[in-house]
């Protein structure tokens, strides 16, 4: 066996094992850093020897495959739905029917009903073969490439005894914390929030670029095994087997000897479900024995041996006091219902989101109404209906705002869009302040000391009215502000000055152009290299860039064509901001540094820290954070860290200067 094959096998097995410990056992044994280093090594070896890459390689988890159109594939076992009940009476009826058919000697398995997106995954000879969505129940979409990015879904099975071919069914879902973060990120780039984790999961599974799916951190629970001649007698046994092969099975599942135990399970989770990091919409009850399941059989739509008990979403009723309109950074108007405070699912609710005008109309809201408020996966509860018999005679119909509550501009609503917008982007206070805050944010210009409070103060004192004004601020002006001492004023001025070194791609993101998030900004910067080239590009030329769609291109063109924005760019140029891609990032790629591992330390004359790392990688080299026996070179800049220097000397690793490094590339 070649050394490369041996190392690839070793890394694949080790990484898969650590993945398992991390995701299935929640017991990581190595640091993320160590994991990443090994993954990096494996990626490189696989690139050099593509023929040696294993089917279960963890590198597939990072995605990369693009699916233009999802193939429709027939389900081997139809994907049925479950009968629903909402009451213990219905449940009793189900239990009676079961007893009538199979007698009294049986038991149930009760499980959480995960509110996600159903998936069926087929394994052949221990390897993940294919993953299908539910579709219409008889045929689904082939989403294999995307499912492979979910780290809790094994690519290769562990343990023993798995059938040569089988299918596991389960649910793909967004953990609630991941979902909240996703929506926050969307808000940041002016995209509307996703309604709930379930829809978001379904949407993500159908994304064309699996590399994006890989970053989204979907999760999966598996709850059913299908196969021919399975050696198991009960569903419970099969769940244990599935678990032992490396699948993630929800721990809450329990065997129940009768309906009373099932009811106790239901009651327990009615409350505890609010502490889970995922949504459940009920409990699934299954007759445990396979023989009993066969006896009971199926109706046209669902098995007779299983049923779903659905929790009623927790609701409260309270009075609608009024409606307020919030204006976001992009000018989007969000109506917010102001409520008489009421307790709901462990918190006091004062506001409820209403999304847009259509929704208010659909519910038929009037001020003074008693409304039903419900808490779902969203952080803010929503209004789901009106208690009509309680409507007071003087309840006033809601007249949707026609003008911006902040600046008085007439609101607009674009064709096909649900939300109203305030078009006064450069004159509406929350939009101005929001844009400046975004501009100064950590991922943008990273201006220390320019948080929301300071922006508010500066804006109210009329010292800034747009992002270009930031660079005209003087220390005496800043010192006039409340609670601004000499030191904090100096820090702010220094922070502003330092931001002029922020690279072009981040400046582009900082401008706050609708739909131009971090990734799009990078794409634009690398493609066009200068702001002048972007300004000169036609809609078609912008649209021709990979991943820049028509909506982004239109939004960019509109922004650039606005004379006010042209003036801002010109003032920012005068303030010496970076509007050209830095030299180091312009260099073309090569494989001149292939096989070499670098550690960089200190600061450099012609490269930024990230720039030199990118240069190394773009030329085939590897960057490591710490000096070890495997380090080929330490590139020493000014003020190199003493510990790195000492370690390099001790290990006899060659230390080179920036000039020597540059000459390696020429
Ligand atoms: S068993 C024939 N178990 O709920 C067996 N389903 O409303 C059918 N679901 O299609 C599925 N958690 O998408 C089962 N522990 C669980 C479940 C579960 C969520 C979903 C699944 C199913 C739907 C039925």
């Amino acid at each position: 066996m070649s050394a490369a094959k041996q190392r690839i096998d070793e890394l694949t097995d080790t990484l898969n094992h650590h993945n398992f410990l991390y995701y299935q056992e929640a017991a990581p044994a190595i640091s993320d850093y160590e994991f990443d280093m090994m993954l990096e090594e494996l990626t490189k070896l696989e690139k050099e020897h593509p023929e040696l890459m294993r089917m279960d390689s963890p590198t597939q988890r990072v995605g990369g495959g693009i699916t233009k159109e999802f193939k429709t594939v027939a389900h081997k076992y139809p994907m049925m739905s479950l009968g629903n009940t909402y009451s213990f009476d219905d449940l009793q009826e189900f239990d009676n029917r079961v007893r009538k058919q199979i007698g009294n000697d049986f038991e149930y398995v009760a499980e959480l009903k995960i509110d996600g997106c159903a998936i069926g995954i087929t394994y052949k000879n221990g390897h993940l073969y294919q993953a299908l969505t539910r579709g219409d129940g008889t045929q689904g979409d082939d989403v294999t490439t995307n499912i492979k990015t979910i780290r809790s879904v094994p690519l290769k099975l562990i343990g023993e005894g798995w059938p040569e071919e089988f299918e596991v069914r389960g649910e793909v879902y967004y953990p609630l914390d991941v979902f909240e973060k996703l929506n926050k990120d969307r808000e940041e780039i002016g995209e509307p929030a996703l309604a709930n984790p379930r829809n978001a999961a379904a949407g993500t599974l159908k994304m064309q670029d699996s590399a994006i799916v890989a970053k989204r951190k979907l999760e999966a629970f598996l709850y059913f095994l299908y196969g021919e001649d399975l050696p198991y007698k009960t569903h419970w046994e099969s769940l244990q087997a599935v678990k032992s092969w490396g699948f993630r099975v929800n721990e809450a599942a329990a065997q129940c000897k009768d309906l009373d135990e099932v009811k106790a399970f239901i009651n327990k989770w009615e409350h505890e479900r609010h502490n889970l990091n995922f949504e459940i919409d009920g409990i699934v009850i299954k007759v445990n024995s396979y023989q009993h399941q066969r006896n009971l059989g199926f109706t046209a739509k669902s098995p007779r041996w299983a049923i779903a008990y659905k929790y009623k979403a927790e609701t409260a009723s309270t009075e609608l006091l009024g409606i307020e309109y919030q204006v976001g950074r992009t000018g989007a108007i969000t109506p917010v219902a102001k409520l008489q405070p009421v307790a709901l699912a462990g918190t006091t609710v004062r506001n409820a989101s209403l999304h847009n005008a259509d929704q208010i109309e659909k519910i038929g809201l009037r001020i003074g109404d008693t409304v039903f408020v419900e808490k779902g996966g969203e952080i803010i509860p929503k209004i789901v209906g009106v208690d009509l018999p309680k409507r007071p005679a003087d309840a006033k119909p809601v007249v949707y705002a026609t003008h911006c509550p902040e600046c008085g501009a007439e609101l607009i609503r674009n064709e096909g869009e649900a939300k109203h917008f305030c078009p006064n982007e450069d004159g509406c206070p929350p939009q101005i302040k929001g844009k400046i805050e975004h501009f100064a944010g950590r991922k943008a210009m990273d201006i220390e000391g320019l948080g929301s409070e300071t922006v508010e103060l500066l804006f109210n004192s009329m010292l800034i009215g747009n992002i270009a004004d930031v660079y005209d601020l003087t220390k005496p002006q800043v010192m006039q502000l409340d609670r601004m001492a000499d030191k904090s004023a100096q820090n702010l001025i220094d922070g502003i000055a330092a931001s002029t070194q922020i690279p072009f791609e981040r400046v582009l993101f900082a401008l706050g152009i609708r739909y131009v998030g971090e990734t799009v900004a990078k794409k634009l910067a690398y493609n066009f290299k200068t702001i002048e080239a972007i300004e000169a590009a036609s809609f078609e030329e912008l649209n021709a860039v990979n991943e820049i769609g028509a909506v982004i291109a239109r939004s960019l063109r509109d922004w650039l064509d606005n004379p006010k924005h042209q003036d801002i760019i010109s003032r920012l140029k005068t303030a010496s901001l970076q509007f050209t891609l830095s030299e180091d990032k312009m260099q073309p790629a090569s494989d001149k540094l292939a096989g070499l591992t670098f550690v960089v330390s200190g600061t450099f004359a012609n490269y930024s820290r990230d720039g030199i790392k990118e240069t190394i990688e773009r030329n085939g080299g590897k960057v490591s954070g710490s000096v070890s026996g495997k380090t080929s070179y330490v590139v020493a800049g000014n003020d190199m860290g003493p510990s790195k220097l000492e370690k390099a000397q001790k290990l006899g690793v060659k230390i080179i200067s920036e000039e020597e490094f540059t000459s390696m590339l020429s």
Side-chain angles (χ1 to χ4, degrees):
M1 190 173 15
S2 74
K5 170 147 178 48
Q6 200 171 349
R7 184 67 184 146
I8 286 180
D9 282 350
E10 193 176 83
L11 285 167
T12 305
D13 290 335
T14 312
L15 287 165
N16 282 344
H17 174 64
H18 286 296
N19 238 336
F20 171 78
L21 291 181
Y22 189 98
Y23 287 99
Q24 263 93 309
E25 306 277 283
I30 59 171
S31 70
D32 288 359
Y33 178 75
E34 285 169 291
F35 187 94
D36 290 344
M37 284 295 119
M38 282 194 273
L39 190 65
E40 215 175 274
E41 188 185 345
L42 180 61
T43 312
K44 183 161 166 270
L45 281 172
E46 287 176 347
K47 236 183 229 160
E48 288 164 9
H49 311 275
E51 73 287 355
L52 297 179
M53 173 165 151
R54 280 188 10 197
M55 256 165 76
D56 61 329
S57 170
T59 56
Q60 297 184 60
R61 304 282 198 196
V62 300
I66 306 271
T67 313
K68 278 272 172 253
E69 214 168 302
F70 293 95
K71 218 172 37 187
T72 308
V73 179
H75 288 295
K76 183 161 180 188
Y77 310 95
M79 258 200 183
M80 299 193 129
S81 59
L82 291 176
N84 285 336
T85 73
Y86 288 89
S87 70
F88 280 180
D89 285 349
D90 288 349
L91 214 52
Q92 187 63 57
E93 258 175 49
F94 167 78
D95 186 67
N96 294 345
R97 280 197 306 271
V98 170
R99 272 170 212 284
K100 211 169 141 199
Q101 183 74 25
I102 61 171
N104 293 324
D105 186 17
F106 72 95
E107 57 181 15
Y108 290 115
V109 173
E111 296 166 19
L112 303 186
K113 185 167 169 359
I114 320 292
D115 196 10
C117 191
I119 193 83
I121 318 176
T122 302
Y123 284 77
K124 286 190 183 174
N125 298 314
H127 288 276
L128 192 158
Y129 170 73
Q130 184 179 59
L132 303 177
T133 61
R134 171 198 298 281
D136 63 3
T138 29
Q139 48 182 26
D141 287 323
D142 182 339
V143 289
T144 313
T145 331
N146 285 344
I147 288 294
K148 279 185 172 172
T149 67
I150 303 177
R151 285 168 196 264
S152 48
V153 173
L155 300 172
K156 183 186 173 204
L157 304 181
I158 58 168
E160 52 197 24
W162 20 268
E164 212 172 279
E165 181 175 336
F166 66 89
E167 181 179 338
V168 273
R169 293 268 167 91
E171 206 81 357
V172 170
Y173 68 93
Y174 267 114
L176 290 179
D177 55 349
V178 176
F179 175 71
E180 277 168 29
K181 164 107 182 21
L182 182 65
N183 262 348
K184 230 171 147 188
D185 290 349
R186 285 174 68 88
E187 233 169 71
E188 211 170 86
I189 60 163
E191 300 242 11
L194 299 163
N196 61 53
R198 179 181 3 98
N199 291 356
T204 304
L205 269 189
K206 295 294 290 290
M207 287 176 90
Q208 295 187 342
D209 185 349
S210 60
I212 300 181
V213 180
K215 293 200 184 111
R216 289 292 183 84
K217 302 211 171 84
L218 283 168
E219 284 283 358
F221 278 124
L222 287 308
Y223 48 65
F224 211 81
L225 175 67
Y226 281 97
E228 309 295 316
D229 305 319
L230 295 175
Y232 313 106
K233 290 204 161 55
T234 64
H235 172 61
W236 183 259
E237 269 178 50
S238 81
L239 281 184
Q240 307 314 309
V242 162
K243 205 190 306 184
S244 77
W245 303 333
F247 290 98
R248 198 154 160 267
V249 174
N250 186 261
E251 288 295 327
Q255 289 171 282
C256 299
K257 67 175 197 307
D258 55 26
L259 200 60
D260 283 340
E261 287 194 6
V262 169
K263 287 180 191 167
F265 185 92
I266 291 174
N267 287 336
K268 173 177 159 199
W269 286 103
E270 167 112 56
H271 302 290
E272 287 189 17
R273 68 189 166 122
H274 299 298
N275 303 325
L276 296 168
N277 191 25
F278 50 87
E279 287 252 286
I280 66 170
D281 58 342
I283 299 296
V284 179
I285 300 125
K286 301 169 184 170
V287 171
N288 194 17
S289 144
Y290 281 158
Q291 185 56 50
H292 286 149
Q293 290 187 2
R294 280 190 288 271
N295 288 346
L296 286 157
F298 297 86
T299 70
K301 279 193 295 191
S302 51
R304 288 201 180 88
W305 43 262
I307 197 159
Y309 178 91
K310 299 255 246 178
Y311 289 122
K312 286 186 219 68
E314 277 204 49
T315 58
S317 79
T318 187
E319 190 190 339
L320 173 67
L321 303 174
I323 292 183
E324 267 181 24
Y325 299 88
Q326 286 176 354
V327 189
R329 164 170 77 80
T330 57
I333 306 290
T334 304
V336 176
K338 295 282 148 188
L339 305 169
Q340 186 64 43
V342 62
L344 174 63
T347 54
T348 303
V349 174
R350 295 183 171 81
N351 302 313
S353 62
L354 283 161
H355 300 297
N356 55 50
D358 289 345
Q359 209 206 355
I360 294 177
E361 202 168 310
K362 207 168 105 196
I363 309 172
L365 276 189
R366 293 193 184 180
I367 310 293
D369 267 340
T370 297
V371 294
F372 298 112
V373 196
E374 187 178 300
K375 214 165 186 183
E378 310 87 283
I379 316 151
I380 306 176
K382 59 180 178 224
I383 292 184
V384 290
V386 176
D387 194 349
L388 282 177
K390 286 202 185 152
R391 172 167 286 170
D394 60 348
K396 285 188 282 302
V398 175
V399 182
Y400 202 83
T402 52
H403 290 78
C404 177
E406 300 279 349
C407 73
E410 193 172 346
L411 300 181
I412 53 164
R413 192 181 195 181
N414 291 329
E415 179 110 8
E417 283 190 12
K419 286 211 174 232
H420 285 71
F421 273 87
C422 166
N424 187 14
E425 22 165 355
D426 303 304
C428 176
Q431 294 192 62
I432 298 172
K433 286 183 280 183
K435 283 191 176 75
I436 300 172
E437 270 172 47
H438 166 80
F439 180 78
R442 204 171 44 79
K443 290 177 169 176
M445 303 305 282
D446 196 17
I447 304 178
E448 234 192 281
L450 196 52
S452 60
E453 267 178 51
T454 312
V455 169
E456 179 86 34
L457 288 173
L458 288 166
F459 178 80
N460 291 341
S461 325
M462 293 200 291
L463 288 172
I464 52 174
N466 62 46
I467 54 178
D469 293 343
V470 169
Y471 293 89
D472 292 340
L473 284 173
T474 63
K475 190 171 164 193
Q477 283 178 330
V478 175
M479 296 235 355
Q480 295 166 16
L481 299 179
D482 268 1
R483 279 174 290 145
M484 259 305 169
D486 183 85
K487 188 154 181 288
S488 38
Q490 189 60 50
N491 282 347
L492 176 56
I493 295 296
D494 291 348
I496 293 170
S499 76
T500 57
Q501 296 311 307
I502 291 289
F504 178 40
E505 60 275 25
R506 276 171 61 183
V507 177
L508 210 47
F509 167 62
L511 295 176
I513 305 169
R514 198 167 175 213
Y515 300 122
V516 180
E518 276 178 287
T519 321
V520 170
K522 250 192 195 153
K523 285 250 147 71
L524 289 166
Y526 278 94
N527 264 280
F528 292 97
K529 310 228 166 20
T530 65
I531 190 77
E532 290 79 13
I534 298 178
E535 284 169 329
S538 66
F539 168 83
E540 287 74 21
E541 283 163 332
L542 293 169
N543 193 192
V545 176
N546 191 15
E547 280 181 61
I548 308 250
V551 176
I552 304 175
R554 183 74 278 144
S555 157
L556 246 171
R557 252 326 342 143
D558 287 349
W559 195 92
L560 294 165
D561 290 339
N562 183 331
K564 279 189 191 149
H565 299 154
Q566 289 164 3
D567 178 56
I568 284 183
I569 298 267
S570 114
R571 287 177 60 201
L572 292 177
K573 276 187 190 170
T574 312
S576 302
L577 267 64
Q578 307 298 315
F579 279 105
T580 301
L581 194 64
S582 64
E583 274 302 315
D584 48 336
K585 288 177 186 154
M586 288 212 201
Q587 282 179 11
S590 80
D591 56 3
K592 286 195 177 120
L593 307 181
L596 301 175
T597 303
F598 292 81
V599 170
V600 291
S601 183
T603 56
F604 302 93
N606 295 307
Y607 297 100
S608 65
R609 287 276 289 178
D610 288 341
I612 194 164
K613 287 182 184 169
E614 273 181 42
T615 306
I616 293 169
E617 281 164 359
R618 226 145 9 95
N619 288 285
K622 238 172 61 175
V623 181
S624 171
S626 58
V627 183
S628 76
K630 287 194 203 143
T631 311
S632 321
Y633 296 100
V634 174
V635 192
N638 288 325
D639 309 319
M640 172 178 179
S643 65
K644 277 190 180 140
L645 182 65
E646 195 182 317
K647 191 143 183 215
Q649 282 165 345
K650 207 168 104 196
L651 293 170
V653 174
K654 197 154 182 233
I655 302 170
I656 57 171
S657 66
E658 181 178 345
E659 291 70 38
E660 285 172 291
F661 171 74
T662 311
S663 67
M664 289 175 86
L665 293 171
S666 57

